[in-house]
Amino acid sequence: MTPNTSLNLDNPAKNPKEPDGQTFPPTIPVSRLFKDGIFPEGEILKYKDDNLSRFTNEEKRAQDRLKYDLYNEVRKAAEVHRQTRRFARKFIKPGQKLMEIVTKIESTVKTLIEENGLKAGVAFPTGCSLNHCAAHYTPNTGDDTVLNYNDVMKIDFGTHINGRIVDCAFTVAFNPQYDKLLEAVKDATNTGIKEAGIDVRLCDIGKAIQEVMESYEVEIDGKVYPVKSIRNLNGHSILPYVIHGGKSVPIVKSTDVTKMEEDEFYAIETFGSTGKGFVSEDMECSHYMKNSKVGFVSLRSAKAKQLLSHINKKYDTLAFCRRWLDAEGETRHILALKQLVEAGIIQPCPPLCDRKGCFTAQYEHTILLRPTCKEVLSRGSDF
């Protein structure tokens, strides 16, 4: 990945416009680029076997038409994601602080989506997990970690309109020796997308993903490593305002015969590793999320009550992070947040890491199982 150093990040007017009319850096809300209010479809894939006929079935096509407004909303969120990551791929370069990278991505999402409380905005904190850390890392306030040429960074961010989340991730690596690792994971994710569909068993998707992922090997600093699927990380269904909707899509062989169903949204994501292919919780936690299944819980601490009120108002069941709380004036939140976690109201989501010294990669797309076809909502020209 080669950054474009000839672009002026401070003055968009001095840069050539993107083909769709967007400035660089992006400053125009997507609603102004698509003035008719119709946002682009994602990649359309026909179902296989017994469900192939759904594509031309008039009853199913009528069902599709009835859900157009919902589809258009989530397509708007997907377009924001595409334009934001196009920008990210151009500005990210070695020597930058991770804090600068994630805040720039989130600021861009807010501009393009016209952030509006819980109606539209960033769906969860931007992940920028490095090397052996596979997921759930974003810098806390004061973290001055700098991106290096030999790092492998997973950029995982989300957008939403009315709680309909687009969850999509890609991997950044500047050193070409990691290319095969990235290729393996991208191929595995596309395999998962290809295999997914109405009535498909989750275990069959995991088996296909693992076969593709583990057919690759990568040479790093003169040593050859097999690429392994990280067996305790999964894709997942997505519900309104709930990023992990209850169903897990394995990326290895499993015994889960649960089937995908019509109208479900899924994040199809795969993780490859040169290490053990197994992650554990490690490092300081930054990601948190309200437990959507927990009802009223009595709290003694006034500070914990106040923080929960803030979280309910700002995020509801969407994920958040500590640096967001700091930026919103909740600078003395650590003890209150700990109390909310201990009460079971808030769920911590610590960084997930393989063994130190190894490298991990991730690719992810959000798909929708429409009555007629499978739509890869977040598909773009990049991947």
Side-chain angles (χ1 to χ4, degrees):
M1 174 177 171
T2 303
N4 190 334
T5 55
S6 65
L7 294 166
N8 189 321
L9 296 181
D10 298 318
N11 191 344
K14 290 187 177 181
N15 297 318
K17 287 193 173 183
E18 300 286 1
D20 54 19
Q22 184 59 267
T23 60
F24 186 95
T27 59
I28 304 173
V30 296
S31 64
R32 286 168 51 191
L33 295 176
F34 297 88
K35 294 181 180 179
D36 59 1
I38 299 173
F39 295 95
E41 272 190 326
E43 180 187 24
I44 301 301
L45 300 174
K46 295 179 181 179
Y47 295 122
K48 299 191 295 185
D49 304 324
D50 293 343
N51 282 317
L52 178 61
S53 61
R54 285 173 168 267
F55 195 71
T56 54
N57 182 286
E58 281 305 320
E59 181 182 348
K60 297 299 181 186
R61 290 165 73 91
Q63 291 174 13
D64 253 1
R65 289 192 290 272
L66 288 172
K67 294 165 185 161
Y68 173 77
D69 289 344
L70 166 63
Y71 297 168
N72 198 48
E73 276 189 349
V74 74
R75 287 169 185 157
K76 179 179 180 181
E79 182 61 24
V80 170
H81 201 289
R82 274 189 292 274
Q83 293 195 19
T84 301
R85 70 178 190 255
R86 178 176 66 191
F87 172 51
R89 285 175 172 275
K90 290 181 179 179
F91 84 75
I92 293 173
K93 57 184 181 293
Q96 289 176 310
K97 290 183 179 181
L98 300 188
M99 184 69 81
E100 176 191 353
I101 292 170
V102 297
T103 53
K104 196 169 286 188
I105 287 172
E106 290 162 4
S107 175
T108 301
V109 169
K110 292 174 183 179
T111 297
L112 301 193
I113 210 163
E114 295 170 285
E115 183 188 30
N116 181 17
L118 287 170
K119 293 183 178 179
V122 179
F124 53 83
T126 301
C128 55
S129 305
L130 294 179
N131 304 327
H132 73 288
C133 182
H136 294 175
Y137 165 80
T138 198
N140 285 325
T141 302
D143 185 337
D144 289 329
T145 303
V146 172
L147 179 65
N148 294 311
Y149 174 80
N150 285 311
D151 285 333
V152 178
M153 177 172 64
K154 282 68 61 182
I155 292 291
D156 188 350
F157 70 97
T159 59
H160 84 93
I161 301 284
N162 292 322
R164 293 294 179 177
I165 299 170
V166 171
D167 184 2
C168 180
F170 60 96
T171 298
V172 174
F174 304 98
N175 191 327
Q177 70 175 340
Y178 304 121
D179 286 355
K180 275 295 179 183
L181 173 61
L182 274 60
E183 182 184 334
V185 182
K186 191 183 298 184
D187 194 359
T189 295
N190 284 329
T191 297
I193 292 168
K194 179 183 175 183
E195 295 298 321
I198 295 169
D199 298 329
V200 173
R201 300 187 309 175
L202 298 177
C203 60
D204 294 332
I205 300 173
K207 180 182 178 182
I209 287 171
Q210 185 176 20
E211 286 178 355
V212 169
M213 181 84 77
E214 299 188 354
S215 69
Y216 283 82
E217 57 185 25
V218 56
E219 183 177 337
I220 299 173
D221 295 332
K223 185 175 179 180
V224 176
Y225 298 87
V227 179
K228 299 176 183 176
S229 283
I230 299 180
R231 60 185 181 273
N232 59 333
L233 290 179
N234 308 280
H236 48 90
S237 58
I238 304 174
L239 295 174
Y241 294 102
V242 179
I243 187 63
H244 293 144
K247 291 184 179 180
S248 294
V249 184
I251 63 174
V252 293
K253 290 184 291 186
S254 80
T255 57
D256 188 350
V257 295
T258 305
K259 292 183 178 181
M260 291 181 157
E261 299 175 66
E262 184 178 302
D263 292 331
E264 288 183 324
F265 289 81
Y266 280 92
I268 302 295
E269 61 181 323
T270 73
F271 297 82
S273 175
T274 63
K276 296 183 297 183
F278 186 88
V279 292
S280 303
E281 295 179 356
D282 193 13
M283 310 191 329
E284 185 177 57
C285 188
S286 54
H287 287 55
Y288 294 85
M289 185 165 49
K290 197 171 89 169
N291 190 331
S292 62
K293 296 179 181 178
V294 170
F296 175 78
V297 176
S298 179
L299 294 168
R300 287 186 174 183
S301 165
K303 181 60 179 174
K305 289 178 183 177
Q306 184 271 324
L307 181 61
L308 179 59
S309 175
H310 178 84
I311 290 167
N312 285 334
K313 186 180 299 182
K314 287 288 294 185
Y315 309 114
D316 193 17
T317 51
L318 294 173
F320 61 94
C321 62
R322 287 181 51 198
R323 60 182 167 81
W324 289 0
L325 295 179
D326 289 334
E328 291 151 7
E330 300 291 336
T331 53
R332 300 171 66 89
H333 64 258
I334 295 177
L335 180 57
L337 186 59
K338 183 174 182 287
Q339 292 169 337
L340 293 176
V341 169
E342 290 172 346
I345 300 169
I346 299 296
Q347 176 184 343
C349 305
L352 300 171
C353 302
D354 202 329
R355 64 167 177 81
K356 287 184 179 179
C358 78
F359 296 93
T360 61
Q362 173 197 17
Y363 281 90
E364 175 181 26
H365 275 300
T366 295
I367 68 170
L368 167 59
L369 302 183
R370 289 167 46 183
T372 56
C373 61
K374 176 171 43 182
E375 183 171 350
V376 188
L377 292 158
S378 50
R379 182 72 81 192
S381 58
D382 51 349
F383 75 100

